[in-house]
Amino acid sequence: QEPQASGLPEYIKIVEVGPRDGLQNEKVIVPTDIKIELINQLSKTGLPAIEVTSFVSSKWVPQMADHKEVMKGIERHPGVQYPVLTPNLQGFHSAIAAGATEVSVFGAASESFSKMNINCSIEESIEKFGEVTKSARNMNIPVRGYVSCALGCPYEGNVVPDKVAEVSKRLYSMGCYEISLGDTIGVGTPGSMKKMLEAVMKEIPLSALAVHCHDTYGQALANILTAIQMGVAVVDSSVAGLGGCPYAKGATGNVATEDVIYMLNGLGINTGVNLYAVMEAGNFICTALNKKTNSKVAQASFSTGTIN
Amino acid sequence: ASGGYPKRVKVVEVGPRDGLQNEKNVVPTPVKINLINMLSETGLPVIEATSFVSPKWVPQMADHTEVMQGINKLPGISYPVLTPNLKGFQAAVAAGAKEVSIFGAASEMFTKKNINCSIEESLERFDEVMRAAREANIPVRGYVSCVLGCPYEGKISAAKVAEVSKKMYSMGCYEISLGDTIGVGTPGSMKEMLTVVMKEVPVGALAVHCHDTYGQALANILLALQMGVSVVDASVAGLGGCPYAQGASGNVATEDLVYMLNGLGIHTGVDLQKLMDTGTFICNALNRRTNSKVSQASCRL
């Protein structure tokens, strides 16, 4: 199966967000050494980028209170990026002091979401991020930009593709090397994914785009397929599908890395990632969290005792 | 993006048969009948009602005659039933069935393990059913199992799938439902398989029956739609686990499928809310959680 013949990218970069986005949205908080062990295991799977932690006040995000210890405690494998979230300049400085070499900032395509989440307008948040990107540029630190609510908002409902394009463009012009478009509540479908990407691709080069799909409505893999058919070559996912949806109690959130890799393998697309190793890391963290995996591939493989 | 999408998709609901047959708990006849009646109110055009197979083999479907005779048959809705042989076919017609289904497979080992004969022998058995059905003017739907992989043989060649599909189509089946029985398929293998099958069977006569055991079902269905397939099988609440992977999921959930098709602007005629209500009903009766993510997400506790 030749991916180029079908118009698909030859290689897709998987950005593993389990240790940050995943663990931040799990009910159970794991101790620092478990976090470090998880990241170390993930570093051995071939994943090229692993989002490690968030330099945000522990008052707001207690699950990430140990950000310094985690950053300093993990093994840093050559060729693997370890980005961290930095919502403002203070967080950025703290991250750099702890050894971070890449950071991420989080914008949103919805005013209501921005207000409810970080208590300021989109414009104000972009100004704050501007301070981060300026300092980052001076220190040669790459910055990744996230745009939340790209396919729908828990407060506003429908989100206009042009708004997503506008916010993405602001972040990109500020110096973000990559924009990760997040379907925060998982309501997107291949239909809305296509419309949104068409609008954003008018403003941002394809190579700078990533998709961050949630599987809350079971649509994640279909949405990711649509995105990669349009040429997107960076996909965010979370080992074992860690991280529920804070807006729909009991529902799932992040798409499982194992399930994404299974699909990409089947399409003949190279990711550099060892699926079995990811399943082992998933098994480790689920045991530590005392929960069942959200990955269907892991469930099926465990049940049959074989990897297909 | 690659290819357009069909404007309409026919959703074939297999929950009452394929779903319930593969659930741990057996539901009483009145519950089965109520389930089918509720599904009949959702706008689904086809609802697979039961299986006329010996209760010795499939005890969950032992009440096939009562179910067939007990359900409200709404005009415009088809209620196909499985008929593995002539005896089952005759019992089905006597009970009022107006459409039947037969099950083939693209794997010799699967056929041997499942119905204790070769593919060739199974097709000979079906020939009897086809002849009787033709005489009675009863349409027959053909299923081909293991189209993207077999629990015993592993990889299955697309050519074999095309060969079996072609035979069943030539025998008189009006539609061939291609089943990813163990859910191992991906959009890659789906595309490869359909490309070969579509050389032998017109795409208008093809359906896909995807299992979600590896989470690939909706992506596989999306690919099939891009290739022109416009008939998709699914099971309300994702009823029916995988008999080959204990605890793993099986059928794709009809709710999740309809959600995706709605988002693509594809017409199905199905009312998603009524469908979710039906899923809630049967899950309560089975004392289990739904496998539909759309249903899960919509529950605000």
Side-chain angles (χ1 to χ4, degrees):
Chain A
Q1 180 75 21
E2 285 301 314
Q4 313 95 291
S6 33
L8 296 169
E10 262 180 57
Y11 169 80
I12 285 184
K13 178 174 96 172
I14 305 281
V15 175
E16 171 60 46
V17 301
R20 203 286 306 168
D21 192 356
L23 291 183
Q24 182 171 321
N25 287 296
E26 284 292 328
K27 283 194 298 270
V28 177
I29 299 186
V30 292
T32 308
D33 57 343
I34 301 277
K35 286 189 180 117
I36 289 171
E37 175 59 27
L38 170 64
I39 293 164
N40 289 345
Q41 286 195 25
L42 291 168
S43 289
K44 299 190 181 109
T45 63
L47 283 161
I50 302 165
E51 195 178 68
V52 169
T53 187
S54 184
F55 281 77
V56 67
S57 162
S58 48
K59 191 170 60 176
W60 302 125
V61 186
Q63 306 90 318
M64 299 285 127
D66 54 2
H67 39 68
K68 281 201 197 88
E69 293 89 326
V70 171
M71 198 69 219
K72 293 193 187 151
I74 57 173
E75 291 164 12
R76 306 279 284 263
H77 288 233
V80 182
Q81 300 297 332
Y82 298 93
V84 299
L85 252 68
T86 53
N88 49 40
L89 199 56
Q90 187 191 9
F92 174 77
H93 288 313
S94 191
I96 299 302
T101 49
E102 180 176 328
V103 301
S104 309
V105 295
F106 259 80
S110 152
E111 287 289 359
S112 310
F113 188 84
S114 196
K115 199 103 191 99
M116 295 292 265
N117 225 35
I118 50 176
N119 203 23
C120 62
S121 69
I122 297 178
E123 190 58 45
E124 286 163 343
S125 74
I126 300 232
E127 278 166 24
K128 249 182 249 179
F129 302 145
E131 295 175 2
V132 174
T133 55
K134 216 165 72 168
S135 292
R137 194 169 25 240
N138 289 342
M139 302 181 65
N140 248 330
I141 299 275
V143 182
R144 188 187 213 225
Y146 282 88
V147 179
S148 301
C149 297
L151 298 178
C153 168
Y155 312 106
E156 290 185 12
N158 212 21
V159 172
V160 176
D162 282 347
K163 188 71 181 174
V164 184
E166 181 196 319
V167 177
S168 303
K169 186 177 183 175
R170 294 291 300 280
L171 290 173
Y172 186 68
S173 324
M174 267 162 51
C176 292
Y177 77 93
E178 193 167 88
I179 307 296
S180 175
L181 304 161
D183 182 12
T184 307
I185 47 171
V187 291
T189 64
S192 56
M193 173 63 87
K194 178 166 193 252
K195 288 200 181 92
M196 184 275 294
L197 283 177
E198 278 168 353
V200 175
M201 278 159 62
K202 290 197 186 110
E203 309 291 345
I204 317 267
L206 199 45
S207 56
L209 289 179
V211 289
H212 183 113
C213 297
H214 278 193
D215 204 39
T216 319
Y217 289 77
Q219 308 294 306
L221 285 188
N223 292 343
I224 290 167
L225 180 64
T226 300
I228 66 180
Q229 284 178 338
M230 291 176 76
V232 170
V234 183
V235 176
D236 299 359
S237 59
S238 177
V239 61
L242 292 181
C245 179
Y247 305 96
K249 215 178 135 119
T252 57
N254 287 304
V255 68
T257 304
E258 299 92 318
D259 299 1
V260 172
I261 302 226
Y262 186 91
M263 180 173 81
L264 298 181
N265 284 352
L267 284 163
I269 294 173
N270 181 36
T271 61
V273 182
N274 180 329
L275 172 55
Y276 187 74
V278 176
M279 286 201 279
E280 288 196 308
N283 190 40
F284 164 76
I285 192 62
C286 286
T287 305
L289 283 164
N290 193 27
K291 66 166 276 185
K292 266 189 85 187
T293 181
N294 271 339
S295 157
K296 286 206 164 172
V297 169
Q299 259 170 256
S301 301
F302 178 72
S303 303
T304 58
T306 59
I307 315 291
N308 269 289
Chain B
S2 57
Y5 289 100
K7 287 203 169 66
R8 322 176 78 92
V9 163
K10 178 173 87 172
V11 178
V12 175
E13 171 61 45
V14 300
R17 202 286 306 168
D18 192 356
L20 291 184
Q21 181 168 323
N22 287 296
E23 283 289 325
K24 279 194 305 270
N25 296 331
V26 181
V27 291
T29 309
V31 172
K32 285 191 179 113
I33 289 172
N34 197 34
L35 168 64
I36 295 166
N37 288 345
M38 285 183 78
L39 289 168
S40 289
E41 299 292 331
T42 63
L44 283 160
V46 185
I47 302 165
E48 193 177 67
T50 186
S51 183
F52 280 79
V53 66
S54 163
K56 193 171 60 177
W57 303 124
V58 186
Q60 306 91 317
M61 300 285 126
D63 54 2
H64 39 66
T65 304
E66 294 91 325
V67 169
M68 200 64 214
Q69 291 178 335
I71 56 175
N72 295 336
K73 297 217 191 85
L74 267 54
I77 302 182
S78 273
Y79 299 90
V81 299
L82 252 69
T83 54
N85 49 39
L86 190 59
K87 184 165 148 214
F89 174 79
Q90 286 159 345
V93 173
K98 298 270 186 296
E99 179 176 328
V100 302
S101 308
I102 57 174
F103 258 81
S107 154
E108 286 291 358
M109 276 188 75
F110 186 84
T111 306
K112 191 106 193 104
K113 291 264 204 206
N114 231 32
I115 52 178
N116 203 23
C117 62
S118 70
I119 297 180
E120 191 59 47
E121 286 164 342
S122 75
L123 293 176
E124 275 162 30
R125 250 182 246 176
F126 297 146
D127 215 23
E128 297 185 302
V129 176
M130 300 305 307
R131 245 179 292 133
R134 206 169 10 240
E135 266 159 50
N137 243 331
I138 302 255
V140 182
R141 186 187 215 225
Y143 282 88
V144 181
S145 302
C146 297
V147 301
L148 298 177
C150 169
Y152 312 106
E153 290 187 15
K155 201 169 187 325
I156 293 291
S157 86
K160 190 69 183 175
V161 180
E163 181 195 319
V164 177
S165 304
K166 182 180 185 173
K167 283 215 178 92
M168 293 178 80
Y169 184 66
S170 323
M171 273 164 54
C173 292
Y174 77 92
E175 193 167 89
I176 306 295
S177 175
L178 304 162
D180 182 12
T181 306
I182 47 171
V184 290
T186 63
S189 55
M190 173 64 86
K191 186 174 186 198
E192 192 192 323
M193 184 273 295
L194 282 177
T195 302
V196 178
V197 173
M198 278 162 59
K199 293 197 180 107
E200 308 293 343
V201 181
V203 71
L206 290 177
V208 289
H209 183 111
C210 296
H211 278 193
D212 203 38
T213 318
Y214 288 77
Q216 308 294 305
L218 285 188
N220 292 344
I221 289 166
L222 189 69
L223 203 309
L225 296 173
Q226 289 174 350
M227 293 184 73
V229 172
S230 62
V231 184
V232 181
D233 300 359
S235 177
V236 62
L239 293 181
C242 180
Y244 306 96
Q246 252 251 34
S249 60
N251 287 304
V252 68
T254 313
E255 298 92 316
D256 300 359
L257 168 67
V258 171
Y259 185 91
M260 182 173 82
L261 298 176
N262 284 351
L264 281 161
I266 293 173
H267 179 262
T268 61
V270 179
D271 181 324
L272 181 54
Q273 185 57 56
K274 287 196 178 141
L275 188 58
M276 288 198 287
D277 292 343
T278 308
T280 302
F281 162 75
I282 192 61
C283 285
N284 285 342
L286 282 164
N287 193 27
R288 59 158 284 176
R289 271 192 84 194
T290 182
N291 268 342
S292 156
K293 287 207 163 169
V294 169
S295 238
Q296 268 168 251
S298 310
C299 290
R300 257 141 193 78
L301 298 162

